[in-house]
Amino acid sequence: MKKSIGIDLGTTYCCVMHYEADGSEELVPTDMGAPLTPSIVHISSDGEVTVGEDARDLLLEDADNVIVGIKREMGREYSLEYGGQLLTPEGISALILNQLGNDAARVLNVPYEELSCVITIPAYFGVAEREATAAAARIANLHWEELLPEPVAAAYAYGLAEQPNLTSLVFDLGGGTFDVAVVGMVRGHYRVWAVDGEARLGGLDWDARIEDLLWEEVEQLPDGEDLLFDEDVIGAVHDASERVKRKLSGVDKVTERIRIAGQTITLRISRDRFEEVTYDLLLRSLQATRRVMETANAAGAPPVDQILLIGGSTRMPMIREALTREFGLPVRLTDPDKAVARGAAIMSEQLLAAKERRTVKLGETTVLASSANRVVSVLPRSIGVRLYSSQGPYTDEPYIQHFLPANTPLPIARHRHSVSTIVDNQESVRIELFEQGGNVPSPRVEDNRPLIEGEISGIPPSLAGSEVQLIVSVSVDGLVSLEASTARGRATLHVEAFVHGVLDEQEVEKQKRVTSLLLRGK
């Protein structure tokens, strides 16, 4: 019998939960009994894989073979060689997912193959990062039902769909990513009004500032200059930075003692100094929060009633104090480390139960029987096409014409956008779709990220300026597909394209073989 789980695949920590229809829930601990699994992988020189706490323990003695923060590289052309094998971010993430799946199978007493999961992603993840997460699950041979944006998962965890009179701002500061979203009710359905954030802002950045402060303290020691190049000291200072951050959440000053090479190094940091050197990071999060509230307001959202904090880094007092000071709203902090996994587990149980009962087909969209309480998510970034001017005002350089704006509700089924041929009897056209790269849409090519590149062929002979329709669909997971047709859909055209930064089927299979060999210790 299948068992459903929710997986919070975090940059620094992962959490897995199981939820039952009667409201009971079960946290899936590691084999050492810890509630969270560090998102750390160690691959020894002979190819032995260790994930989680044991991998973290190896940071000091074998840092070169330890991988930390791989989530930040998802959707990028980035590979590493460990144990004689070439691994992509998808492959490394698959090793983490494999460990999480095996822990769940052990705790829930089911075969690994009988697990059905929902995996959370940052709301501000672009298409490439989402595709990469899906590929990681496939490489891990883990059956996934859906990729769920983290603020939406928080909405399920907090039971927001059962609070129709409240509009909430979800502030999600995790280990490596930052999301902020406005969620609330519209015409009887709970939805996300707007999302914003940064894919490379999180607790790791605060840790790095603490590490800098610790090194300032080390430099003041009598033998400080020598210690700066001591590998044991380097590892110990790095390891101490997160501990110091956690302690500063509850006290005004922290004294950290590190035992290295027979001597004890005493390091002292105050919360005031920590908040001073991280103020620019806080400011970035507040700027995104203001933007998302303005965007939601422009879209017709009711005023925000409360702020919900998720992600372990929201425990820092500076976050709560700044949000209260800036917006004057109630700020709720309830189990931020597990809220996302709990919400994913709730959705996973609903999806599995609905699949086991029945599905209702409406046109091309499959609606699950449990969809009455579904929280509708949105497209996180605008999507556009690269064009050259064919009419005034003319420009010498190509530009991006955005035709799917950010914060459009998902899924998006077969949205049509017309472009034109530029010469007579043109048989094919090179097509490039781009995704908004910055915090606001821009027509400049360099301000956008390549999304889909390919060729449309089979265009019937016609005069220059003849219409070609791009047909773009975006799934509830935020995954994009592209089709094309002639004017008014008279004939379907052939499209051959690829998504930038995403593994193709051959590469996915190769990573399956590589991770399988590593997991077998070969």
Side-chain angles (χ1 to χ4, degrees):
M1 180 179 176
K2 282 188 175 292
K3 289 282 189 179
S4 63
I5 56 172
I7 296 178
D8 176 7
L9 184 63
T11 308
T12 52
Y13 288 94
C14 299
C15 184
V16 182
M17 295 195 76
H18 169 67
Y19 183 85
E20 293 284 355
D22 62 6
S24 61
E25 61 184 46
E26 183 174 7
L27 174 73
V28 174
T30 68
D31 54 8
M32 296 175 66
L36 304 177
T37 301
S39 306
I40 300 176
V41 178
H42 174 264
I43 304 175
S44 66
S45 56
D46 58 1
E48 183 179 355
V49 175
T50 307
V51 176
E53 295 111 310
D54 290 338
R56 182 179 57 192
D57 292 342
L58 292 166
L59 269 171
L60 291 180
E61 58 185 83
D62 192 19
D64 289 343
N65 288 315
V66 176
I67 308 160
V68 179
I70 196 61
K71 183 174 177 178
R72 283 189 162 183
E73 310 304 332
M74 295 292 272
R76 300 177 61 195
E77 294 183 6
Y78 178 89
S79 58
L80 298 165
E81 185 173 347
Y82 288 97
Q85 302 288 350
L86 196 65
L87 284 158
T88 65
E90 294 90 337
I92 296 166
S93 295
L95 295 174
I96 298 172
L97 285 171
N98 179 271
Q99 179 67 48
L100 300 175
N102 280 319
D103 285 340
R106 168 180 51 80
V107 171
L108 301 176
N109 195 29
V110 294
Y112 184 93
E113 298 75 18
E114 291 297 304
L115 292 172
S116 178
C117 71
V118 166
I119 302 172
T120 63
I121 52 171
Y124 214 55
F125 253 16
V127 172
E129 293 96 329
R130 292 168 186 245
E131 292 272 10
T133 305
R138 288 162 54 206
I139 294 167
N141 292 312
L142 190 61
H143 177 73
W144 61 278
E145 292 286 350
E146 190 170 307
L147 303 179
L148 188 67
E150 289 164 7
V152 177
Y156 286 112
Y158 277 94
L160 296 186
E162 311 305 323
Q163 303 174 46
N165 297 320
L166 286 179
T167 300
S168 303
L169 184 138
V170 179
F171 187 100
D172 177 8
L173 185 63
T177 59
F178 168 64
D179 283 331
V180 62
V182 175
V183 292
M185 191 70 72
V186 57
R187 292 190 293 275
H189 295 280
Y190 215 78
R191 62 160 287 185
V192 176
W193 284 96
V195 298
D196 208 310
E198 295 194 35
R200 298 180 71 84
L201 175 67
L204 288 174
D205 301 292
W206 270 263
D207 292 347
R209 299 295 173 83
I210 288 182
E211 197 167 330
D212 291 340
L213 290 178
L214 292 175
W215 281 117
E216 289 179 10
E217 292 289 304
V218 170
E219 286 185 285
Q220 302 305 313
L221 297 173
D223 53 349
E225 289 190 9
D226 295 331
L227 293 174
L228 292 177
F229 304 99
D230 187 304
E231 290 189 4
D232 289 338
V233 176
I234 292 172
V237 169
H238 177 78
D239 194 44
S241 60
E242 185 183 358
R243 293 199 306 271
V244 170
K245 184 183 73 174
R246 288 177 180 271
K247 291 177 181 177
L248 284 172
S249 295
V251 297
D252 293 330
K253 293 182 180 180
V254 168
T255 299
E256 184 74 11
R257 293 180 175 82
I258 304 174
R259 183 76 176 170
I260 296 291
Q263 67 172 318
T264 298
I265 301 174
T266 301
L267 307 174
R268 295 179 178 85
I269 292 180
S270 70
R271 184 191 292 174
D272 287 344
R273 178 63 176 148
F274 170 52
E275 293 182 355
E276 178 186 344
V277 300
T278 57
Y279 180 72
D280 62 309
L281 303 176
L282 175 65
L283 191 60
R284 284 162 61 185
S285 71
L286 292 177
Q287 288 170 340
T289 304
R290 294 190 199 98
R291 281 197 308 268
V292 80
M293 293 179 77
E294 291 169 0
T295 302
N297 181 63
V304 170
D305 298 299
Q306 62 179 351
I307 298 175
L308 308 179
L309 302 183
I310 59 174
S313 296
T314 57
R315 284 195 174 90
M316 292 184 291
M318 71 171 74
I319 301 296
R320 298 192 296 277
E321 292 167 2
L323 289 171
T324 301
R325 184 174 61 250
E326 286 285 321
F327 303 107
L329 295 169
V331 178
R332 293 175 58 190
L333 177 68
T334 305
D335 208 0
D337 291 318
K338 303 181 184 68
V340 168
R342 178 180 295 110
I346 292 170
M347 171 54 73
S348 185
E349 187 279 330
Q350 289 183 2
L351 292 174
L352 181 59
K355 179 177 281 189
E356 290 176 345
R357 291 194 303 268
R358 64 188 178 89
T359 61
V360 181
K361 292 231 179 217
L362 298 178
E364 296 181 352
T365 305
T366 299
V367 181
L368 296 170
S370 61
S371 62
N373 294 323
R374 187 174 184 88
V375 179
V376 177
S377 189
V378 294
L379 185 69
R381 301 168 185 265
S382 296
I383 293 175
V385 60
R386 184 176 185 262
L387 296 176
Y388 284 89
S389 294
S390 58
Q391 59 185 14
Y394 294 97
T395 61
D396 293 331
E397 298 298 324
Y399 64 97
I400 304 301
Q401 184 181 77
H402 291 97
F403 57 86
L404 272 180
N407 299 306
T408 300
L410 297 178
I412 300 168
R414 300 178 64 78
H415 177 90
R416 294 176 181 270
H417 181 73
S418 295
V419 294
S420 303
T421 58
I422 57 174
V423 298
D424 292 344
N425 299 319
Q426 186 172 338
E427 297 179 350
S428 64
V429 59
R430 193 76 183 164
I431 190 73
E432 294 177 89
L433 297 187
F434 281 73
E435 186 176 51
Q436 168 188 335
N439 293 318
V440 295
S442 166
R444 300 189 338 147
V445 174
E446 57 268 33
D447 293 338
N448 294 270
R449 300 169 55 189
L451 178 56
I452 295 178
E453 183 176 348
E455 185 175 83
I456 299 172
S457 58
I459 302 173
S462 57
L463 297 176
S466 296
E467 181 181 356
V468 174
Q469 288 195 344
L470 307 179
I471 306 168
V472 177
S473 298
V474 187
S475 72
V476 71
D477 306 283
L479 308 182
V480 177
S481 61
L482 172 65
E483 303 170 69
S485 73
T486 54
R488 293 177 291 279
R490 288 175 180 161
T492 300
L493 303 178
H494 177 68
V495 178
E496 186 172 328
F498 67 93
V499 180
H500 280 268
V502 174
L503 302 183
D504 59 26
E505 285 302 316
Q506 185 176 359
E507 292 168 322
V508 167
E509 291 303 317
K510 182 177 180 180
Q511 286 297 294
K512 278 188 177 182
R513 292 192 296 271
V514 168
T515 55
S516 178
L517 286 171
L518 289 171
L519 290 169
R520 291 205 304 265
K522 296 183 180 179

